[in-house]
Amino acid sequence: GTSTILTGLESNSTYFVWVSAEIRGAGVQGPYSLSVSSGIPGSPTNLTIYLPPGLCDQLIVTWMAPSRSSTGGSGLSVKYKVYRENDLIHTMLIVTNTTWSDLTANTQYNVRIVAFNDLGDGGEVTGMGKTRPKAPPISSLSASSSTQLIITLTAPTISSALTYKCTLTTTVSGL
């Protein structure tokens, strides 16, 4: 057979090829369409790391898939490697979110999402999220009168200042 190598092509582009044969009056054949792809996906986008309401030991991590033009070619499924610090936590297909539970309160976590397919790792996106401090334990709760409560908290020793909010709710029993 006869072959040739075309070089200098750009990823995510379509090229048209015409083949000409000069045997016994045969003419030009083509055009033949050829799509050139980088093979590996681009970077995920829109990484968001946030705290669920009222919880101090969880983070929710969401991201968007790479744009269609940078997914690595048709027929290749984009998957994701999800890292916390440098540890691989999840490998995910299609899903673009995860919830991390049982984290240490008041701690910063570095997040890295790597898009990949059967041909290898592609682009990545990085970010940082921080859990909330835990509420301090109540060391004592007492009534000083019929209209006043005294709440004593054991404040944690941390380097940053905290604000405490006490909310009073009433429960009537026997109704």
Side-chain angles (χ1 to χ4, degrees), residues 131-154:
T131 54
R132 289 184 186 95
K134 284 187 177 182
I138 295 176
S139 53
S140 69
L141 178 62
S142 60
S144 62
S145 71
S146 62
T147 60
Q148 197 172 39
L149 288 176
I150 299 173
I151 301 171
T152 305
L153 305 174
T154 304

Side-chain angles (χ1 to χ4, degrees), residues 32-43:
Y32 299 97
S33 174
L34 172 67
S35 292
V36 177
S37 172
S38 64
I40 58 175
S43 298

Side-chain angles (χ1 to χ4, degrees), residues 97-168:
N97 65 73
T98 186
T99 300
W100 293 342
S101 301
D102 300 322
L103 300 175
T104 303
N106 201 38
T107 303
Q108 177 177 305
Y109 291 94
N110 294 302
V111 177
R112 181 167 53 115
I113 311 295
V114 178
F116 73 101
N117 61 21
D118 294 341
L119 300 177
D121 286 356
E124 66 180 56
V125 63
T126 60
M128 183 273 303
K130 187 173 182 180
T131 54
R132 289 184 186 95
K134 284 187 177 182
I138 295 176
S139 53
S140 69
L141 178 62
S142 60
S144 62
S145 71
S146 62
T147 60
Q148 197 172 39
L149 288 176
I150 299 173
I151 301 171
T152 305
L153 305 174
T154 304
T157 307
I158 60 173
S159 59
S160 60
L162 296 175
T163 302
Y164 299 105
K165 178 181 176 183
C166 295
T167 305
L168 178 65

Side-chain angles (χ1 to χ4, degrees), residues 38-106:
S38 64
I40 58 175
S43 298
T45 60
N46 299 337
L47 177 63
T48 304
I49 306 161
Y50 63 95
L51 297 154
L55 298 174
C56 62
D57 64 347
Q58 289 187 4
L59 288 174
I60 297 174
V61 181
T62 66
W63 62 94
M64 300 284 294
S67 68
R68 182 174 297 270
S69 65
S70 67
T71 58
S74 63
L76 297 174
S77 297
V78 177
K79 302 167 214 153
Y80 305 97
K81 295 177 185 176
V82 181
Y83 293 86
R84 181 172 60 223
E85 300 310 320
N86 290 319
D87 298 324
L88 178 63
I89 304 299
H90 304 290
T91 300
M92 307 177 83
L93 174 64
I94 301 173
V95 177
T96 58
N97 65 73
T98 186
T99 300
W100 293 342
S101 301
D102 300 322
L103 300 175
T104 303
N106 201 38

